Amino acid sequence: MAFSNSPPVQLTKNKRGYAYNAIPNLDATEFDNFSEFLVPTILGVQEKTGITFDYISPVNEPQWDWSDGGQEGTPFYNHDIAQITKSLSKNLTDKSIPTKITIAESGQLEYLYSAFNRPNTSNQITVFFDKNSVDYIGDLPNLEPTIAGHSYWTTSPYQAGKTKREQLMQALDTKSNLKYWMSEYCILGDNDGEIQGNGKDLGIGPALYVAKVIHNDLVNANASAWHWWTAISAYDYKDGLVYVDKTETDGSYQDSKMLWALGNYSRFIKPGAIRIGTEITNGNDGLFVSAYINTDQNMVTVITNSRTDALEMEVKGINGNLTKTKYYQTSETASLKPVELATTNGKITIPARSIVTMVGQL
């Protein structure tokens, strides 16, 4: 996926890669020029590397002001996004480029499904995918039938985040075949005091938090894609899967437990997998379970035990027990390690503060 934080500075109103006065930094007369910039960029990368982008995302977090100059960006109104997308769609079609367009990289989930706190930037599911909307673009031939949003600011406390994701899924259910992509997340801010974004932490604590966020997005928002920001970091912040020294020559790297927590999902849940319902018959706070069936009929169950005590569980698959079952554990002392879990009377023991993926054949 290619994405744009800001249009190129030669096109922006202030000739900068950041906005001012919390208004869009691209005049409507430049929308076509912006899309005509993106298309040869795709072709140029293809010519030099042989890589054709599967997707292109023309705007990023359009609800934010982007006026402090600390990062490239610009706000956009929903109507702007629709017009840019239409122009980009035409240019891709005219050049017979197979790259699909994704929108709208909403900065917070509420903007997708509700009239949130910034006029003309919210209710994006309805605005872009309701056929009665003046900014309907759901019929564009190269628009991926997804709406993309970021999970920042909606992850704590867990139950409040769950409610927001359920509301998002209800809004999605009103539009046939429309999917949701969670397209950017790292641990940001103070999260209602549960965990701070500041301060690098390679341990299991942040990993357990991330695993709960992934669970919440996949299960309660029905996300069909989940993206982390960013793979490699050199900063004292909980934003990296792998950390490197901030030096110009040589240096070392460190893996974080967040990398392996993500791997408990991404290494085993394959493209085309279908999530299936799960039920915990004896509810346990701090226990999160989700299950998926891959196209090869392997059933993948991800179990996060964020408690300080081990839990015994009996896991039953569809139509009975699974065969050829294998377990992979991430904990303070294990990084997606193949393990043999303790078994008592047909129940497996999920160690305290750990993430376990169970893979078995149906």
Side-chain angles (χ1 to χ4, degrees):
M1 176 185 286
F3 70 95
S4 173
N5 282 341
S6 165
V9 295
Q10 63 266 30
L11 301 180
T12 59
K13 293 177 181 178
N14 63 357
K15 306 306 177 186
R16 299 287 188 271
Y18 56 89
Y20 63 99
N21 294 333
I23 59 175
N25 200 20
L26 188 71
D27 192 80
T29 59
E30 299 287 0
F31 289 171
D32 287 342
N33 290 330
F34 179 33
S35 73
E36 289 167 4
F37 166 84
L38 292 172
V39 168
T41 300
I42 293 171
L43 293 173
V45 171
Q46 182 182 29
E47 179 182 348
K48 290 182 178 295
T49 68
I51 295 170
T52 300
F53 287 112
D54 298 313
Y55 307 100
I56 184 163
S57 176
V59 303
N60 178 61
E61 296 184 340
Q63 292 84 12
W64 305 150
D65 292 349
W66 299 115
S67 298
D68 63 2
Q71 180 181 325
E72 298 91 343
T74 178
F76 278 118
Y77 300 127
N78 286 336
H79 183 68
D80 300 332
I81 297 171
Q83 296 307 306
I84 290 169
T85 304
K86 289 177 182 178
S87 178
L88 180 56
S89 173
K90 182 178 184 302
N91 274 292
L92 291 170
T93 300
D94 289 347
K95 298 293 192 303
S96 299
I97 299 173
T99 301
K100 298 285 189 179
I101 306 168
T102 67
I103 57 170
E105 304 294 341
S106 178
Q108 195 164 318
L109 299 186
E110 291 95 328
Y111 291 111
L112 295 177
Y113 63 84
S114 67
F116 203 38
N117 57 9
R118 301 201 176 195
N120 304 312
T121 68
S122 56
N123 269 323
Q124 291 184 317
I125 290 173
T126 298
V127 169
F128 297 136
F129 293 99
D130 189 314
K131 293 181 179 180
N132 296 317
S133 168
V134 296
D135 288 315
Y136 173 71
I137 51 178
D139 58 350
L140 295 177
N142 41 18
L143 180 69
E144 183 71 13
T146 65
I147 191 78
H150 301 171
S151 277
Y152 301 122
W153 320 119
T154 61
T155 57
S156 293
Y158 180 85
Q159 287 299 324
K162 178 176 182 287
T163 298
K164 292 174 181 179
R165 284 158 178 78
E166 289 170 341
Q167 292 172 329
L168 170 57
M169 186 159 63
Q170 290 169 6
L172 289 168
D173 286 344
T174 67
K175 305 292 179 286
S176 62
N177 300 319
L178 183 64
K179 297 180 180 180
Y180 165 58
W181 285 4
M182 200 306 293
S183 53
E184 184 180 320
Y185 181 75
C186 70
I187 298 176
L188 193 67
D190 70 356
N191 301 287
D192 285 329
E194 289 186 358
I195 190 169
Q196 291 280 344
N198 284 317
K200 180 174 72 173
D201 187 340
L202 304 177
I204 193 62
L208 292 170
Y209 189 85
V210 168
K212 289 193 296 182
V213 174
I214 297 173
H215 173 92
N216 211 355
D217 284 324
L218 297 186
V219 172
N220 297 312
N222 207 28
S224 61
W226 202 93
H227 300 177
W228 176 265
W229 180 272
T230 179
I232 298 174
S233 175
Y235 302 101
D236 188 23
Y237 209 86
K238 296 180 184 67
D239 59 351
L241 302 177
V242 176
Y243 286 85
V244 296
D245 291 340
K246 195 176 182 181
T247 60
E248 294 185 5
T249 58
D250 205 356
S252 62
Y253 65 89
Q254 299 169 297
D255 59 319
S256 73
K257 292 295 180 180
M258 292 185 291
L259 168 69
W260 303 108
L262 178 59
N264 274 91
Y265 288 90
S266 62
R267 180 164 286 187
F268 306 102
I269 303 169
K270 303 298 184 181
I274 297 174
R275 184 176 60 82
I276 60 175
T278 60
E279 180 182 1
I280 301 175
T281 55
N282 295 313
N284 280 289
D285 291 338
L287 182 67
F288 304 88
V289 182
S290 60
Y292 313 82
I293 298 178
N294 286 326
T295 56
D296 62 2
Q297 295 302 294
N298 275 331
M299 178 173 159
V300 178
T301 305
V302 185
I303 305 164
T304 297
N305 178 15
S306 60
R307 297 161 56 107
T308 56
D309 58 320
L311 291 173
E312 286 189 344
M313 295 181 61
E314 182 181 10
V315 181
K316 294 182 178 180
I318 297 175
N319 299 324
N321 295 322
L322 302 172
T323 62
K324 302 179 181 178
T325 305
K326 297 180 181 179
Y327 301 95
Y328 303 86
Q329 178 185 334
T330 297
S331 65
E332 197 67 67
T333 57
S335 296
L336 209 60
K337 179 182 177 182
V339 293
E340 294 291 337
L341 296 181
T343 304
T344 305
N345 297 325
K347 295 182 178 180
I348 58 173
T349 299
I350 307 299
R353 292 177 61 79
S354 71
I355 308 153
V356 171
T357 298
M358 180 177 68
V359 181
Q361 188 73 32
L362 288 174

